[in-house]
PDB file of all heavy atoms in Angstrom:
ATOM      1  N   GLU A 201       1.163  19.193 -11.018  1.00  0.00           N
ATOM      2  CA  GLU A 201       1.590  20.554 -10.689  1.00  0.00           C
ATOM      3  C   GLU A 201       2.107  21.318 -11.908  1.00  0.00           C
ATOM      4  O   GLU A 201       1.687  22.447 -12.132  1.00  0.00           O
ATOM      5  CB  GLU A 201       2.612  20.538  -9.558  1.00  0.00           C
ATOM      6  CG  GLU A 201       1.976  20.265  -8.214  1.00  0.00           C
ATOM      7  CD  GLU A 201       2.985  20.302  -7.079  1.00  0.00           C
ATOM      8  OE1 GLU A 201       4.100  20.796  -7.303  1.00  0.00           O
ATOM      9  OE2 GLU A 201       2.642  19.843  -5.982  1.00  0.00           O
ATOM     10  N   PRO A 202       3.021  20.742 -12.732  1.00  0.00           N
ATOM     11  CA  PRO A 202       3.430  21.488 -13.946  1.00  0.00           C
ATOM     12  C   PRO A 202       2.267  21.705 -14.911  1.00  0.00           C
ATOM     13  O   PRO A 202       2.173  22.759 -15.542  1.00  0.00           O
ATOM     14  CB  PRO A 202       4.498  20.591 -14.575  1.00  0.00           C
ATOM     15  CG  PRO A 202       4.962  19.720 -13.496  1.00  0.00           C
ATOM     16  CD  PRO A 202       3.797  19.530 -12.572  1.00  0.00           C
ATOM     17  N   GLY A 203       1.382  20.706 -15.010  1.00  0.00           N
ATOM     18  CA  GLY A 203       0.220  20.876 -15.884  1.00  0.00           C
ATOM     19  C   GLY A 203      -0.688  21.988 -15.406  1.00  0.00           C
ATOM     20  O   GLY A 203      -1.186  22.791 -16.192  1.00  0.00           O
ATOM     21  N   LEU A 204      -0.882  22.049 -14.086  1.00  0.00           N
ATOM     22  CA  LEU A 204      -1.721  23.101 -13.520  1.00  0.00           C
ATOM     23  C   LEU A 204      -1.088  24.473 -13.711  1.00  0.00           C
ATOM     24  O   LEU A 204      -1.775  25.435 -14.058  1.00  0.00           O
ATOM     25  CB  LEU A 204      -1.962  22.813 -12.033  1.00  0.00           C
ATOM     26  CG  LEU A 204      -3.069  23.616 -11.364  1.00  0.00           C
ATOM     27  CD1 LEU A 204      -4.402  23.299 -12.027  1.00  0.00           C
ATOM     28  CD2 LEU A 204      -3.121  23.288  -9.890  1.00  0.00           C
ATOM     29  N   ASN A 205       0.225  24.572 -13.509  1.00  0.00           N
ATOM     30  CA  ASN A 205       0.915  25.845 -13.735  1.00  0.00           C
ATOM     31  C   ASN A 205       0.795  26.271 -15.192  1.00  0.00           C
ATOM     32  O   ASN A 205       0.598  27.446 -15.497  1.00  0.00           O
ATOM     33  CB  ASN A 205       2.396  25.728 -13.347  1.00  0.00           C
ATOM     34  CG  ASN A 205       2.583  25.707 -11.853  1.00  0.00           C
ATOM     35  OD1 ASN A 205       1.759  26.210 -11.111  1.00  0.00           O
ATOM     36  ND2 ASN A 205       3.674  25.112 -11.411  1.00  0.00           N
ATOM     37  N   TRP A 206       0.892  25.312 -16.120  1.00  0.00           N
ATOM     38  CA  TRP A 206       0.780  25.636 -17.540  1.00  0.00           C
ATOM     39  C   TRP A 206      -0.617  26.134 -17.862  1.00  0.00           C
ATOM     40  O   TRP A 206      -0.783  27.095 -18.610  1.00  0.00           O
ATOM     41  CB  TRP A 206       1.104  24.390 -18.371  1.00  0.00           C
ATOM     42  CG  TRP A 206       1.297  24.707 -19.815  1.00  0.00           C
ATOM     43  CD1 TRP A 206       2.445  25.093 -20.413  1.00  0.00           C
ATOM     44  CD2 TRP A 206       0.289  24.684 -20.837  1.00  0.00           C
ATOM     45  NE1 TRP A 206       2.228  25.305 -21.743  1.00  0.00           N
ATOM     46  CE2 TRP A 206       0.922  25.071 -22.034  1.00  0.00           C
ATOM     47  CE3 TRP A 206      -1.064  24.380 -20.847  1.00  0.00           C
ATOM     48  CZ2 TRP A 206       0.230  25.146 -23.234  1.00  0.00           C
ATOM     49  CZ3 TRP A 206      -1.752  24.475 -22.045  1.00  0.00           C
ATOM     50  CH2 TRP A 206      -1.102  24.842 -23.219  1.00  0.00           C
ATOM     51  N   VAL A 207      -1.636  25.477 -17.286  1.00  0.00           N
ATOM     52  CA  VAL A 207      -3.024  25.889 -17.537  1.00  0.00           C
ATOM     53  C   VAL A 207      -3.270  27.290 -16.984  1.00  0.00           C
ATOM     54  O   VAL A 207      -3.952  28.099 -17.612  1.00  0.00           O
ATOM     55  CB  VAL A 207      -4.003  24.865 -16.920  1.00  0.00           C
ATOM     56  CG1 VAL A 207      -5.408  25.425 -16.817  1.00  0.00           C
ATOM     57  CG2 VAL A 207      -4.009  23.593 -17.749  1.00  0.00           C
ATOM     58  N   ILE A 208      -2.707  27.590 -15.825  1.00  0.00           N
ATOM     59  CA  ILE A 208      -2.879  28.921 -15.243  1.00  0.00           C
ATOM     60  C   ILE A 208      -2.250  29.987 -16.143  1.00  0.00           C
ATOM     61  O   ILE A 208      -2.805  31.072 -16.307  1.00  0.00           O
ATOM     62  CB  ILE A 208      -2.290  28.955 -13.823  1.00  0.00           C
ATOM     63  CG1 ILE A 208      -3.183  28.141 -12.880  1.00  0.00           C
ATOM     64  CG2 ILE A 208      -2.155  30.395 -13.318  1.00  0.00           C
ATOM     65  CD1 ILE A 208      -2.571  27.903 -11.515  1.00  0.00           C
ATOM     66  N   HIS A 209      -1.125  29.661 -16.774  1.00  0.00           N
ATOM     67  CA  HIS A 209      -0.452  30.633 -17.640  1.00  0.00           C
ATOM     68  C   HIS A 209      -1.018  30.668 -19.053  1.00  0.00           C
ATOM     69  O   HIS A 209      -0.733  31.583 -19.804  1.00  0.00           O
ATOM     70  CB  HIS A 209       1.052  30.348 -17.680  1.00  0.00           C
ATOM     71  CG  HIS A 209       1.738  30.703 -16.405  1.00  0.00           C
ATOM     72  ND1 HIS A 209       1.875  29.821 -15.373  1.00  0.00           N
ATOM     73  CD2 HIS A 209       2.294  31.870 -15.989  1.00  0.00           C
ATOM     74  CE1 HIS A 209       2.504  30.412 -14.380  1.00  0.00           C
ATOM     75  NE2 HIS A 209       2.765  31.657 -14.711  1.00  0.00           N
ATOM     76  N   HIS A 210      -1.808  29.665 -19.434  1.00  0.00           N
ATOM     77  CA  HIS A 210      -2.419  29.629 -20.767  1.00  0.00           C
ATOM     78  C   HIS A 210      -3.917  29.353 -20.630  1.00  0.00           C
ATOM     79  O   HIS A 210      -4.396  28.284 -21.020  1.00  0.00           O
ATOM     80  CB  HIS A 210      -1.772  28.539 -21.632  1.00  0.00           C
ATOM     81  CG  HIS A 210      -0.310  28.714 -21.819  1.00  0.00           C
ATOM     82  ND1 HIS A 210       0.609  28.267 -20.914  1.00  0.00           N
ATOM     83  CD2 HIS A 210       0.396  29.303 -22.810  1.00  0.00           C
ATOM     84  CE1 HIS A 210       1.812  28.569 -21.342  1.00  0.00           C
ATOM     85  NE2 HIS A 210       1.718  29.203 -22.489  1.00  0.00           N
ATOM     86  N   PRO A 211      -4.690  30.293 -20.076  1.00  0.00           N
ATOM     87  CA  PRO A 211      -6.109  30.018 -19.808  1.00  0.00           C
ATOM     88  C   PRO A 211      -6.949  29.816 -21.063  1.00  0.00           C
ATOM     89  O   PRO A 211      -7.882  29.014 -21.053  1.00  0.00           O
ATOM     90  CB  PRO A 211      -6.573  31.239 -19.020  1.00  0.00           C
ATOM     91  CG  PRO A 211      -5.606  32.307 -19.362  1.00  0.00           C
ATOM     92  CD  PRO A 211      -4.304  31.627 -19.653  1.00  0.00           C
ATOM     93  N   ILE A 212      -6.617  30.502 -22.157  1.00  0.00           N
ATOM     94  CA  ILE A 212      -7.427  30.377 -23.377  1.00  0.00           C
ATOM     95  C   ILE A 212      -7.272  28.983 -23.966  1.00  0.00           C
ATOM     96  O   ILE A 212      -8.257  28.364 -24.389  1.00  0.00           O
ATOM     97  CB  ILE A 212      -7.039  31.479 -24.385  1.00  0.00           C
ATOM     98  CG1 ILE A 212      -7.434  32.833 -23.812  1.00  0.00           C
ATOM     99  CG2 ILE A 212      -7.701  31.239 -25.727  1.00  0.00           C
ATOM    100  CD1 ILE A 212      -6.998  34.012 -24.602  1.00  0.00           C
ATOM    101  N   VAL A 213      -6.048  28.462 -23.963  1.00  0.00           N
ATOM    102  CA  VAL A 213      -5.810  27.114 -24.475  1.00  0.00           C
ATOM    103  C   VAL A 213      -6.558  26.096 -23.622  1.00  0.00           C
ATOM    104  O   VAL A 213      -7.164  25.160 -24.141  1.00  0.00           O
ATOM    105  CB  VAL A 213      -4.294  26.817 -24.505  1.00  0.00           C
ATOM    106  CG1 VAL A 213      -4.043  25.374 -24.899  1.00  0.00           C
ATOM    107  CG2 VAL A 213      -3.588  27.765 -25.460  1.00  0.00           C
ATOM    108  N   SER A 214      -6.567  26.297 -22.299  1.00  0.00           N
ATOM    109  CA  SER A 214      -7.260  25.341 -21.435  1.00  0.00           C
ATOM    110  C   SER A 214      -8.764  25.387 -21.653  1.00  0.00           C
ATOM    111  O   SER A 214      -9.419  24.355 -21.600  1.00  0.00           O
ATOM    112  CB  SER A 214      -6.922  25.605 -19.963  1.00  0.00           C
ATOM    113  OG  SER A 214      -7.367  26.877 -19.571  1.00  0.00           O
ATOM    114  N   VAL A 215      -9.325  26.566 -21.916  1.00  0.00           N
ATOM    115  CA  VAL A 215     -10.761  26.661 -22.201  1.00  0.00           C
ATOM    116  C   VAL A 215     -11.086  25.914 -23.491  1.00  0.00           C
ATOM    117  O   VAL A 215     -12.076  25.187 -23.557  1.00  0.00           O
ATOM    118  CB  VAL A 215     -11.184  28.151 -22.295  1.00  0.00           C
ATOM    119  CG1 VAL A 215     -12.568  28.288 -22.910  1.00  0.00           C
ATOM    120  CG2 VAL A 215     -11.150  28.789 -20.918  1.00  0.00           C
ATOM    121  N   VAL A 216     -10.241  26.051 -24.497  1.00  0.00           N
ATOM    122  CA  VAL A 216     -10.453  25.344 -25.761  1.00  0.00           C
ATOM    123  C   VAL A 216     -10.364  23.834 -25.547  1.00  0.00           C
ATOM    124  O   VAL A 216     -11.192  23.073 -26.059  1.00  0.00           O
ATOM    125  CB  VAL A 216      -9.440  25.820 -26.826  1.00  0.00           C
ATOM    126  CG1 VAL A 216      -9.479  24.924 -28.051  1.00  0.00           C
ATOM    127  CG2 VAL A 216      -9.716  27.265 -27.202  1.00  0.00           C
ATOM    128  N   VAL A 217      -9.381  23.393 -24.756  1.00  0.00           N
ATOM    129  CA  VAL A 217      -9.225  21.961 -24.499  1.00  0.00           C
ATOM    130  C   VAL A 217     -10.440  21.414 -23.761  1.00  0.00           C
ATOM    131  O   VAL A 217     -10.949  20.339 -24.093  1.00  0.00           O
ATOM    132  CB  VAL A 217      -7.917  21.695 -23.719  1.00  0.00           C
ATOM    133  CG1 VAL A 217      -7.882  20.285 -23.173  1.00  0.00           C
ATOM    134  CG2 VAL A 217      -6.722  21.959 -24.611  1.00  0.00           C
ATOM    135  N   VAL A 218     -10.934  22.142 -22.754  1.00  0.00           N
ATOM    136  CA  VAL A 218     -12.120  21.688 -22.018  1.00  0.00           C
ATOM    137  C   VAL A 218     -13.323  21.622 -22.940  1.00  0.00           C
ATOM    138  O   VAL A 218     -14.099  20.663 -22.900  1.00  0.00           O
ATOM    139  CB  VAL A 218     -12.391  22.617 -20.811  1.00  0.00           C
ATOM    140  CG1 VAL A 218     -13.758  22.359 -20.223  1.00  0.00           C
ATOM    141  CG2 VAL A 218     -11.312  22.432 -19.752  1.00  0.00           C
ATOM    142  N   PHE A 219     -13.493  22.623 -23.796  1.00  0.00           N
ATOM    143  CA  PHE A 219     -14.617  22.615 -24.736  1.00  0.00           C
ATOM    144  C   PHE A 219     -14.536  21.421 -25.678  1.00  0.00           C
ATOM    145  O   PHE A 219     -15.533  20.745 -25.923  1.00  0.00           O
ATOM    146  CB  PHE A 219     -14.636  23.921 -25.539  1.00  0.00           C
ATOM    147  CG  PHE A 219     -15.759  23.981 -26.534  1.00  0.00           C
ATOM    148  CD1 PHE A 219     -17.052  24.230 -26.118  1.00  0.00           C
ATOM    149  CD2 PHE A 219     -15.512  23.775 -27.881  1.00  0.00           C
ATOM    150  CE1 PHE A 219     -18.098  24.272 -27.037  1.00  0.00           C
ATOM    151  CE2 PHE A 219     -16.542  23.812 -28.804  1.00  0.00           C
ATOM    152  CZ  PHE A 219     -17.833  24.065 -28.375  1.00  0.00           C
ATOM    153  N   VAL A 220     -13.342  21.136 -26.189  1.00  0.00           N
ATOM    154  CA  VAL A 220     -13.172  20.000 -27.096  1.00  0.00           C
ATOM    155  C   VAL A 220     -13.455  18.692 -26.372  1.00  0.00           C
ATOM    156  O   VAL A 220     -14.126  17.802 -26.923  1.00  0.00           O
ATOM    157  CB  VAL A 220     -11.749  20.005 -27.702  1.00  0.00           C
ATOM    158  CG1 VAL A 220     -11.432  18.678 -28.377  1.00  0.00           C
ATOM    159  CG2 VAL A 220     -11.608  21.155 -28.686  1.00  0.00           C
ATOM    160  N   LEU A 221     -12.999  18.541 -25.122  1.00  0.00           N
ATOM    161  CA  LEU A 221     -13.264  17.322 -24.362  1.00  0.00           C
ATOM    162  C   LEU A 221     -14.753  17.136 -24.107  1.00  0.00           C
ATOM    163  O   LEU A 221     -15.280  16.030 -24.239  1.00  0.00           O
ATOM    164  CB  LEU A 221     -12.502  17.350 -23.034  1.00  0.00           C
ATOM    165  CG  LEU A 221     -10.998  17.129 -23.132  1.00  0.00           C
ATOM    166  CD1 LEU A 221     -10.359  17.336 -21.772  1.00  0.00           C
ATOM    167  CD2 LEU A 221     -10.696  15.749 -23.674  1.00  0.00           C
ATOM    168  N   VAL A 222     -15.447  18.208 -23.751  1.00  0.00           N
ATOM    169  CA  VAL A 222     -16.889  18.108 -23.515  1.00  0.00           C
ATOM    170  C   VAL A 222     -17.608  17.762 -24.808  1.00  0.00           C
ATOM    171  O   VAL A 222     -18.474  16.892 -24.837  1.00  0.00           O
ATOM    172  CB  VAL A 222     -17.428  19.426 -22.903  1.00  0.00           C
ATOM    173  CG1 VAL A 222     -18.946  19.442 -22.905  1.00  0.00           C
ATOM    174  CG2 VAL A 222     -16.895  19.607 -21.491  1.00  0.00           C
ATOM    175  N   TYR A 223     -17.232  18.416 -25.898  1.00  0.00           N
ATOM    176  CA  TYR A 223     -17.865  18.127 -27.184  1.00  0.00           C
ATOM    177  C   TYR A 223     -17.614  16.671 -27.595  1.00  0.00           C
ATOM    178  O   TYR A 223     -18.517  15.984 -28.059  1.00  0.00           O
ATOM    179  CB  TYR A 223     -17.327  19.076 -28.259  1.00  0.00           C
ATOM    180  CG  TYR A 223     -17.854  18.755 -29.634  1.00  0.00           C
ATOM    181  CD1 TYR A 223     -19.160  19.085 -29.975  1.00  0.00           C
ATOM    182  CD2 TYR A 223     -17.060  18.091 -30.566  1.00  0.00           C
ATOM    183  CE1 TYR A 223     -19.662  18.771 -31.227  1.00  0.00           C
ATOM    184  CE2 TYR A 223     -17.555  17.768 -31.814  1.00  0.00           C
ATOM    185  CZ  TYR A 223     -18.851  18.111 -32.140  1.00  0.00           C
ATOM    186  OH  TYR A 223     -19.333  17.790 -33.372  1.00  0.00           O
ATOM    187  N   TRP A 224     -16.382  16.207 -27.406  1.00  0.00           N
ATOM    188  CA  TRP A 224     -16.034  14.845 -27.782  1.00  0.00           C
ATOM    189  C   TRP A 224     -16.810  13.823 -26.954  1.00  0.00           C
ATOM    190  O   TRP A 224     -17.208  12.782 -27.448  1.00  0.00           O
ATOM    191  CB  TRP A 224     -14.524  14.652 -27.608  1.00  0.00           C
ATOM    192  CG  TRP A 224     -14.007  13.403 -28.233  1.00  0.00           C
ATOM    193  CD1 TRP A 224     -13.790  12.224 -27.606  1.00  0.00           C
ATOM    194  CD2 TRP A 224     -13.664  13.207 -29.612  1.00  0.00           C
ATOM    195  NE1 TRP A 224     -13.321  11.307 -28.512  1.00  0.00           N
ATOM    196  CE2 TRP A 224     -13.228  11.874 -29.742  1.00  0.00           C
ATOM    197  CE3 TRP A 224     -13.684  14.032 -30.735  1.00  0.00           C
ATOM    198  CZ2 TRP A 224     -12.817  11.359 -30.955  1.00  0.00           C
ATOM    199  CZ3 TRP A 224     -13.267  13.500 -31.938  1.00  0.00           C
ATOM    200  CH2 TRP A 224     -12.848  12.186 -32.042  1.00  0.00           C
TER     201      TRP A 224
END
Side-chain angles (χ1 to χ4, degrees):
E201 285 182 14
L204 194 62
N205 286 335
W206 192 87
V207 164
I208 289 170
H209 288 89
H210 301 84
I212 294 174
V213 174
S214 63
V215 166
V216 170
V217 167
V218 168
F219 180 76
V220 167
L221 287 174
V222 169
Y223 175 75
W224 192 263

